[in-house]
Amino acid sequence: MRNIVSSVIGRFATLVVTASLALSGFAGASPASAQARAKNSLPLVRDAEIESLVGDYARPLLKAAGLSRAGVQTVLVNSSDFNAFVLGRRIFVNTGAITMTETPNQLIGILAHEIGHLAGGHQQRLRERLESAKVMAIAAALLGAGVAIGGSAAGVRGATGAGAGVFSAGGAAAQRSLLNYMRGEESVADRAAINYLAKTGQSGRGLVETFQTLDRNSMFSGSGGRSYLSSHPAPRDRVLAIEESARRLTPYDKQDAAALLERHGLARAKIAAYAGGMNDVRRLFAKDPRSQPALYGDAIATFLSGQHASALKKMDALIAARPSNPWFHEMRGEILLEAGRAPEAVAAFKRAAKLDGSNSGLLQAEIGQALVMSGGKSDLNQAIEMIQAGLQNDPVNGEGYRYLAMAYSRLGDIGRAELATAEGHWNVGSLQEAKVFAARAQSKLKPGTPAFRRAQDILSTKTR
């Protein structure tokens, strides 16, 4: 699992706060802006296994919603909070939402709800509502300021307080309007979710169970507004409405397939191992400590603790039980690479890529990374080929660009190494850094060549 940081404003509440700051004139202050950007950054996690699983969950639902050709992506957020949300054409899923859902159907229900928001165009209408809220807030601010100034000039006691009260009332009215809108759209997304589950022959029980569990445990209390129900209000009558529709329209008692249950458990085990080590794995699988997911989490936690030989033995036992699981081979490659056995890691990653049905760009780049780390110059051209193929499928893989730059550097092609670094920055949105490295690349590349023109494209990109 690899973490990257992306400056994405993901929560409805954050959008409202941002709009308020802009109205107050504070959004442009550079130190405050830097702090705000840091607070609003999402720690994204890249993992081929979990991305493949969530993608498999979302694909039939997107087709049912008529969005299969819309280029919708699922993105993993490295957070233990139970949350999922949509932004642009991306569905963001917290790793906590995966570990807290005990069955595939529970997470599938949440994805169906979020796809309901996408299909309903709720984001565009939310922007319109935000514009209306800004107008209301500005009017309230002007009225409040007018009362305060007038009262102060006339010497009327209490008038300044009255002005502040008018301002607060105007803000509260805008907030109520937005929240009322939001509650209505949540109900629409609920109905859409049940419809998509029915179209794909999947049970609505998981969505009902998730809402019931969240409501029963009050998981949203004290979490700073970040949990699912704090921004997806679900009172008991809403849960009952979902359950009635789910029982009537979907195969409610249908069970998840055993193989899918195991895949879901393996993803939960990996997240638990990386998040909290052996203790989290044991706590999560206390009821079934000898299951494949529990053993997988144990092997990963052993690897993360630095016990490479023991971790390899555990992974080999898992591979013996499930030889066609690509992710067991990928994890074996990770362990071998960390242990300094890069040539063996290449073989493990190649085996994983051969078994993988998702054509993961991350896996292809991992093969190239292992070839770079093997230390032999004869492998570098193949490494470049594999990394470039991976980046074609996954252009925002920052690690891929880093190892591509390393491969070119070891071949003595510093211009292309600088260009790879520039393209890495460009593809993750760091445009100023991209321009610096693109300029350095151009000074070493032959004018008119494709590489020179790619550097020029970056330099020509306008930034705000």
Side-chain angles (χ1 to χ4, degrees):
M1 296 174 74
R2 293 175 171 82
N3 295 331
I4 58 175
V5 176
S6 175
S7 296
V8 180
I9 299 174
R11 290 256 41 89
F12 170 83
T14 306
L15 288 171
V16 175
V17 170
T18 304
S20 300
L21 289 173
L23 285 172
S24 304
F26 296 140
S30 55
S33 296
Q35 291 177 0
R37 282 194 299 271
K39 287 181 180 179
N40 289 331
S41 293
L42 287 180
L44 304 185
V45 60
R46 301 302 314 277
D47 183 84
E49 177 179 12
I50 302 172
E51 288 178 359
S52 174
L53 178 68
V54 177
D56 285 349
Y57 288 167
R59 199 168 296 111
L61 299 169
L62 290 168
K63 185 176 180 180
L67 297 173
S68 59
R69 299 181 183 275
V72 177
Q73 294 177 301
T74 54
V75 181
L76 302 176
V77 181
N78 189 21
S79 170
S80 60
D81 289 331
F82 188 105
N83 208 355
F85 55 92
V86 295
L87 187 66
R89 292 200 173 275
R90 293 182 174 88
I91 304 170
F92 293 83
V93 182
N94 281 13
T95 52
I98 300 171
T99 55
M100 291 184 196
T101 49
E102 297 182 355
T103 67
N105 188 239
Q106 290 175 354
L107 185 59
I108 287 168
I110 294 299
L111 290 171
H113 174 91
E114 297 305 326
I115 289 170
H117 283 303
L118 277 178
H122 296 172
Q123 292 180 85
Q124 180 57 42
R125 289 201 288 273
L126 175 59
R127 292 189 187 98
E128 294 168 2
R129 289 280 174 163
L130 283 169
E131 289 300 319
S132 298
K134 283 197 283 187
V135 171
M136 292 176 67
I138 290 170
L142 291 173
L143 178 59
V147 171
I149 293 169
S152 176
V156 180
R157 293 180 63 186
T160 302
V166 172
F167 178 81
S168 298
Q175 186 180 44
R176 282 196 299 274
S177 173
L178 286 167
L179 291 176
N180 285 336
Y181 160 78
M182 190 169 134
R183 280 191 287 270
E185 296 293 26
E186 290 304 317
S187 297
V188 172
D190 286 344
R191 291 193 294 271
I194 297 300
N195 183 39
Y196 303 150
L197 292 167
K199 282 184 177 181
T200 55
Q202 300 182 90
S203 172
R205 180 193 289 271
L207 184 61
V208 174
E209 289 175 342
T210 300
F211 282 157
Q212 287 174 335
T213 300
L214 290 170
D215 187 52
R216 182 169 59 249
N217 295 342
S218 298
M219 292 175 64
F220 54 92
S221 61
S223 65
R226 294 174 294 170
S227 69
Y228 198 80
L229 291 186
S230 66
S231 57
H232 294 67
R236 282 190 180 83
D237 55 350
R238 177 187 174 201
V239 175
L240 290 173
I242 296 172
E243 183 174 9
E244 189 279 327
S245 297
R247 288 184 180 277
R248 179 167 48 87
L249 299 174
T250 73
Y252 196 77
D253 294 323
K254 184 177 180 179
Q255 300 294 311
D256 289 309
L260 193 60
L261 272 168
E262 184 169 288
R263 278 187 73 191
H264 192 79
L266 293 171
R268 296 174 75 211
K270 177 180 277 188
I271 293 168
Y274 274 93
M278 197 74 75
N279 288 337
D280 278 18
V281 172
R282 288 172 177 167
R283 185 163 47 248
L284 192 63
F285 298 100
K287 294 180 180 178
D288 196 2
R290 300 305 300 170
S291 66
Q292 289 289 299
L295 296 174
Y296 187 43
D298 177 77
I300 296 172
T302 301
F303 158 55
L304 294 173
S305 69
Q307 303 174 61
H308 299 149
S310 179
L312 276 175
K313 288 181 181 178
K314 292 177 179 181
M315 283 309 308
D316 287 341
L318 285 162
I319 290 171
R322 301 284 190 275
S324 61
N325 186 314
W327 315 117
F328 288 176
H329 292 278
E330 184 204 18
M331 182 51 62
R332 187 173 189 273
E334 291 276 3
I335 298 168
L336 288 165
L337 195 60
E338 188 72 18
R341 297 161 62 178
E344 294 172 79
V346 171
F349 287 137
K350 284 184 175 180
R351 179 63 177 158
K354 186 175 182 180
L355 292 169
D356 170 40
S358 67
N359 194 31
S360 169
L362 286 177
L363 270 181
Q364 291 172 300
E366 280 180 319
I367 298 171
Q369 173 187 341
L371 286 165
V372 172
M373 297 300 291
S374 67
K377 280 198 171 184
S378 60
D379 293 325
L380 291 175
N381 286 324
Q382 186 186 356
I384 289 169
E385 183 180 337
M386 293 302 304
I387 295 171
Q388 286 177 333
L391 290 172
Q392 275 194 321
N393 292 332
D394 186 2
V396 294
N397 177 9
E399 286 283 288
Y401 290 103
R402 186 162 73 88
Y403 282 99
L404 182 61
M406 188 183 296
Y408 276 124
S409 179
R410 289 186 179 178
L411 286 173
D413 193 340
I414 305 304
R416 287 179 183 271
E418 301 275 25
L419 177 60
T421 304
E423 289 178 328
H425 283 299
W426 190 87
N427 277 285
V428 299
S430 301
L431 300 185
Q432 293 295 350
E433 291 86 348
K435 287 177 179 289
V436 170
F437 284 97
R440 287 166 57 171
Q442 269 202 337
S443 69
K444 302 176 181 69
L445 294 167
K446 184 178 179 181
T449 60
F452 184 93
R453 289 197 296 270
R454 281 175 15 225
Q456 186 59 48
D457 288 341
I458 294 173
L459 291 169
S460 301
T461 303
K462 293 183 179 180
T463 57
R464 288 186 295 177

